[in-house]
Amino acid sequence: MSDKQKLDEQTIAMRAAREFEDGMVVNLGGGIPTLACNFVPEGREVLFHAENGALGYGGIASTETADWDLFNASFQPVTPLPGMSFFAHDESFALIRGGHVDISVLGALEVSEKGDLANWVAGDLTTFEGDITDWIGLDRYPPAVGGAMDLAIGAKRVIVCMLHTTRNGQPKIVKECKYELTASRCVSLIITDLAVIEITPQGLVLKEITPGWEPEDVQAVTEPRLILASDIKEISL
Amino acid sequence: MNKIFNSSDQAVADVFDGATILCGGFGCVGGVPSTLFKALVKRPIKNLTIVGNTPVLGMAFQKAAARTMTVPESYADASLLLNNGQVRKLIISVPTIAIYKMPEPFPIVKAIKEGKDIEIELVPQGTLAERIRAARAGIGAFYTQAGVGTYLARGKETREISGKSYLLEYPIEADFAFIWAYKADRYGNLIYKGTSRTFNATMAGAAKITIAEVAEVVELGQLDPETIVTPAAYVDRVVKR
């Protein structure tokens, strides 16, 4: 299986951006999701929302044009666009919880077959030894909660973008999350380097697959049973 | 009426031992009331409760996150107080951020490893903002769906409303709010700049005393009343940074 090509992070983000429709309000989480701001399909206008109080910002800014007063919530400088607005943090989360975000794209440590999302860690900081780089290398993350709980319950649709397995090849799509939950039954679509999987009341439906991979390859690294979509196809961009 | 203070030292002179301080900004370099933190670190007070989204990341993180941008040497956050042993508790959404190539441990990790007794209350970001807004608005408590069924729901009242589960959350009662703003007049009206508005405009007015540091103090009437973000009633002191 290892000789087969997986999608890179940019391509995962590109696939996620295909879900953005004209006029939508979209919030992008850190990591792979944040890359999606560069791939809005031609002819569509999408308003990107940042938790720190902006709607309608543009792409990532160059060092020359970067402004400390125009950042997204992933600590990246972004560019201004006509029609952009700024607001306070309480307003920003009123917008989230009040159901005004059409799509929230989040990263995840695990997603369960019921759509439960786990993307944070409640651990004790004293148990983290050494440099943070080492922790991440071991798939360990320091405790922090951020805005994901609000996005997960507030957005009309939650899409998860992540790698299909951990660094050690363990499934991240599981029957029950072992990490702390961010919210239960909130995820509707999972986009990974191997597949696009929809979460339905009947279970996980494998809808698209990375070129060169077979459904049984994907099943082998997915803990719950996958239902093959009748119109299953290769992931295309 | 004149809320302008001549120095940041004067503006924070009455911050007391055990005070709870709302710390403006988000976590990025922009919008952090650095001048006020630098004044407060000189005061011989301890046991502070620091409230903010990501107020203790420190300079090393900002330099690592800034990549090719140059962080102003004047930057400082509440990790100054943490490093100086003045903090007892953090009410916070993000104590550290998973970023590669941190040249040194985060201030909070360092403090805990040194054996400092620091309590951390982890709060979802939207709940943090709303608990602060509730304090400003005189709301006794509120229900939110954020956190239902998670580790952070432990010990909290849950209620079903129209078929959905909500958690009961209380306002954060604070003594001081440290605010970064762009311009002020002597009444204390404030405007901000870009995404540096963030928690600053949420926190202004949410503590007993709100202190704003600004880039510029302008004459009354120069701020357009249609675009003033924080009305004067929320602000007690203004100091030029």
Side-chain angles (χ1 to χ4, degrees):
Chain A
M1 243 165 26
S2 57
D3 55 332
K4 289 176 189 167
Q5 197 77 31
K6 296 177 179 178
L7 300 186
D8 63 16
E9 297 192 348
Q10 296 279 346
T11 313
I12 299 171
M14 211 180 284
R15 175 61 191 81
R18 274 184 44 209
E19 301 294 315
F20 306 163
E21 290 168 23
D22 188 54
M24 276 189 165
V25 173
V26 175
N27 183 292
L28 303 174
I32 300 173
T34 199
L35 302 172
C37 74
N38 298 322
F39 303 121
V40 178
E42 271 301 298
R44 297 182 201 175
E45 287 182 316
V46 170
L47 294 176
F48 286 117
H49 170 263
E51 292 93 311
N52 49 330
L55 184 65
Y57 64 86
I60 307 301
S62 65
T63 304
E64 293 71 39
T65 60
D67 175 353
W68 292 116
D69 299 320
L70 187 49
F71 266 56
N72 67 19
S74 301
F75 288 71
Q76 295 162 320
V78 291
T79 52
L81 279 183
M84 176 173 67
S85 59
F86 300 120
F87 31 84
H89 223 92
D90 53 302
E91 190 69 52
S92 188
F93 277 81
L95 192 157
I96 292 171
R97 284 186 308 260
H100 308 283
V101 171
D102 293 294
I103 293 181
S104 161
V105 189
L106 290 166
L109 297 171
E110 286 173 334
V111 180
S112 85
E113 61 182 331
K114 295 185 292 294
D116 298 340
L117 171 66
N119 78 347
W120 72 293
V121 175
D124 175 357
L125 266 176
T126 57
T127 66
F128 286 90
E129 294 289 344
D131 186 80
I132 196 162
T133 311
D134 304 331
W135 312 341
I136 297 165
L138 296 167
D139 274 324
R140 297 183 69 217
Y141 297 84
V145 59
M149 286 188 178
D150 298 274
L151 284 159
I153 59 94
K156 289 181 191 152
R157 187 163 177 239
V158 175
I159 297 175
V160 162
C161 283
M162 65 178 187
L163 300 182
H164 207 91
T165 62
T166 67
R167 282 177 176 76
N168 303 324
Q170 294 303 305
K172 293 174 73 172
I173 302 171
V174 294
K175 288 179 179 164
E176 295 284 345
C177 293
K178 290 176 292 294
Y179 285 99
E180 297 296 342
L181 286 191
T182 303
S184 54
R185 297 173 187 262
C186 60
V187 179
S188 62
L189 193 72
I190 309 169
I191 303 174
T192 75
D193 45 352
L194 300 183
V196 176
I197 295 169
E198 193 179 344
I199 293 162
T200 73
Q202 288 72 42
L204 300 176
V205 177
L206 180 58
K207 299 198 67 146
E208 298 175 33
I209 194 159
T210 296
W213 289 70
E214 297 299 328
E216 52 269 31
D217 301 334
V218 178
Q219 181 66 76
V221 287
T222 307
E223 193 181 81
R225 190 179 61 83
L226 294 171
I227 302 164
L228 298 195
S230 54
D231 58 345
I232 187 168
K233 57 188 179 195
E234 287 191 341
I235 295 179
S236 64
L237 302 167
Chain B
M1 189 189 336
N2 187 5
K3 295 176 184 171
I4 313 299
F5 276 55
N6 289 326
S7 75
S8 51
D9 289 344
Q10 280 178 5
V12 304
D14 58 349
V15 178
F16 50 87
D17 215 76
T20 296
I21 303 174
L22 305 179
C23 300
F26 172 66
C28 305
V29 170
V32 175
S34 303
T35 312
L36 299 178
F37 292 127
K38 285 193 271 190
L40 191 61
V41 79
K42 294 188 275 182
R43 302 268 333 281
I45 51 165
K46 286 183 190 295
N47 301 314
L48 299 172
T49 294
I50 293 297
V51 184
N53 184 63
T54 316
V56 291
L57 293 176
M59 185 60 131
F61 168 85
Q62 296 296 2
K63 285 184 172 170
R67 300 176 188 92
T68 56
M69 290 177 76
T70 308
V71 181
E73 284 304 322
S74 60
Y75 175 83
D77 64 18
S79 65
L80 277 190
L81 308 169
L82 187 65
N83 295 340
N84 199 33
Q86 291 172 279
V87 176
R88 186 190 61 79
K89 181 174 179 183
L90 296 168
I91 303 176
I92 191 170
S93 175
V94 182
T96 65
I97 290 182
I99 180 174
Y100 285 83
K101 299 193 176 67
M102 259 295 277
E104 59 186 73
F106 279 92
I108 180 62
V109 175
K110 193 162 157 277
I112 289 172
K113 285 192 184 303
E114 283 169 2
K116 291 183 180 131
D117 182 22
I118 297 165
E119 184 188 342
I120 299 179
E121 182 181 339
L122 212 52
V123 185
Q125 202 174 109
T127 301
L128 183 68
E130 192 64 12
R131 288 178 66 191
I132 294 164
R133 196 202 73 84
R136 184 180 76 217
I139 298 297
F142 61 92
Y143 286 98
T144 178
Q145 288 181 269
V148 167
T150 74
Y151 178 82
L152 297 184
R154 292 165 310 152
K156 289 179 181 166
E157 181 188 321
T158 308
R159 180 180 288 204
E160 298 293 316
I161 303 172
S162 303
K164 290 177 182 162
S165 291
Y166 291 79
L167 291 183
L168 182 62
E169 297 282 357
Y170 292 93
I172 295 172
E173 304 293 345
D175 300 297
F176 296 90
F178 283 10
I179 303 301
W180 179 104
Y182 178 41
K183 289 183 184 178
D185 61 25
R186 67 179 169 86
Y187 283 2
N189 291 303
L190 302 178
I191 63 165
Y192 301 88
K193 212 171 174 205
T195 48
S196 293
R197 183 184 304 190
T198 179
F199 267 101
N200 289 302
T202 298
M203 291 173 170
K208 292 191 189 85
I209 302 282
T210 292
I211 310 170
E213 60 156 269
V214 300
E216 206 179 322
V217 176
V218 300
E219 292 298 318
L220 284 184
Q222 286 194 1
L223 298 178
D224 177 358
E226 296 288 355
T227 60
I228 287 170
V229 176
T230 295
Y234 287 151
V235 178
D236 300 285
R237 301 171 189 171
V238 172
V239 67
K240 201 164 171 299
R241 56 176 155 265

